[in-house]
Amino acid sequence: MLKDIILNSFDEIFITDGNGIVLAVSPTCYELYGVESSDLVGKSVFDLERKGILNPSVSALVLKHRQRVNKVQETNTGKSVLVSAYPYFKDGELAYTYSYSRDITELETLKRRNEEVAKTLAYYKEEFNQIKEYKYLYFENKKMEQVMEIANKVADLDVTVLIEGESGVGKNQLAYSLHKQSFRSNEPFIEVNCGAIPESLFESEIFGYEEGAYTGAKRGGKAGSFEQAKSGTLFLDEIGEMPLNLQVKLLSVLQNKRITKLGGSREIDINCRIICATNSDLKKLVEQGKFREDLYYRLDVIKITIPPLRERKDEIEPLIEEFTREFNEKYRFNKHFSSQMITRLTEKNWPGNVRELRNFVERTMITSNEDIITFDQEENRNHEESDKITPLNVFIEAIESDYIKRMYSKFPNSIALGKALKISQSTANRKIQKYIKSTSQN
């Protein structure tokens, strides 16, 4: 009966004595090892291992370790074989070994294919995540295609980039996307709004300071933005608002890759990439003596200009859809804009660009009582709001919010806004933070 089992087994059965001499082998060994069973019987498994017929000999491992062994063999016929071998003891002595071998070549092939599929999926997932980094930046417009073509070329190059565009077009989103596509993507992305920092604090914020540098300085000093960025990216937004006396220092940093903290004398090496953005015409600022010419040409290595939303109106509809998804998820709504409403919105110029559109979508979705938002509902809502009684402080705040947002689109930094509205820069900065920065993307 044992002989019949060995002859008819689907798995290859291999039996040796206590010295490793082969006693019996099932015929299926030819398919696995390319050797007839009759050529193996009577041979030593140690000799068969040396000749490469068994690679390795699992029976030899059982004889050596005197315990069960599971092993995947690679045979000289190119097969992958899973072998389970066991010792058989008689009167305390290892008398025999027996093993079962199963061809798992197809399984190994499937495993490798699955690994390749997993790698491919991981690759496309990474590609998808990179595309997601371009949130609020679409590719359906010819001008934006050109923007993205340049961005993709320079993303992984260690070169200074200057991003130009009106307030609200998405400059910081593009800067962050360049960072995430670069080899620095796992390092910090530090954003500094040059128009929001009072001039008296600018140097200490950007370059840091040593202990005792000035009255009120923190004990132990403070790392500035350059140090915080480490080997990542430092994004200087509204670079045109940087004070003239510090522009010299920035130029030195760009050239020498070293900084000196306020109140210090020791030079510190830096390794971050610099990306700058502006909504001003830097060339005009140079002509007016408000921006250093040498710094301008140092920054103007790679310039990317994001066109305003009025020049890429074909992107308004996908932006509305994106914002609708965002706020439906955020507020657990199930609201949508009617096709008529979307058509009307695509006809508008949106001087505040993507930021203004996003604020409009959010405000409209919050205040609408219907799941399908139509143009007529929006008009009626505006009339109703003008008729209903509202607490004075709420009404004043709403008027102030709208006014600050409109003025900020014309004077897009705290210095310019403060001068235009005849308020202090710190007051202007608080208004910007309250009404704009807390709910918007640059």
Side-chain angles (χ1 to χ4, degrees), residues 325-335 365:
R325 280 193 296 270
E326 177 187 347
F327 296 126
N328 272 331
E329 184 177 339
K330 180 178 179 180
Y331 298 116
R332 296 186 292 278
F333 289 159
N334 186 26
K335 297 183 178 182
M365 289 180 69

Side-chain angles (χ1 to χ4, degrees), residues 135-136 322-335 358-359 362-363 365-366 437-441:
K135 195 177 182 184
Y136 312 149
E322 176 64 42
F323 296 144
T324 303
R325 280 193 296 270
E326 177 187 347
F327 296 126
N328 272 331
E329 184 177 339
K330 180 178 179 180
Y331 298 116
R332 296 186 292 278
F333 289 159
N334 186 26
K335 297 183 178 182
R358 184 176 183 273
N359 288 340
E362 181 176 23
R363 182 178 70 249
M365 289 180 69
I366 290 172
K437 297 297 182 181
S438 63
T439 59
S440 66
Q441 301 281 339

Side-chain angles (χ1 to χ4, degrees), residues 172-184:
N172 70 342
Q173 191 64 43
L174 179 58
Y176 183 66
S177 300
L178 290 171
H179 168 73
K180 292 304 289 183
Q181 287 194 94
S182 74
F183 62 88
R184 301 175 183 270

Side-chain angles (χ1 to χ4, degrees), residues 39-57:
D39 294 332
L40 298 176
V41 175
K43 302 289 183 1
S44 166
V45 292
F46 300 102
D47 289 338
L48 295 172
E49 187 177 52
R50 278 192 290 271
K51 291 177 181 179
I53 297 173
L54 303 177
N55 183 30
S57 169

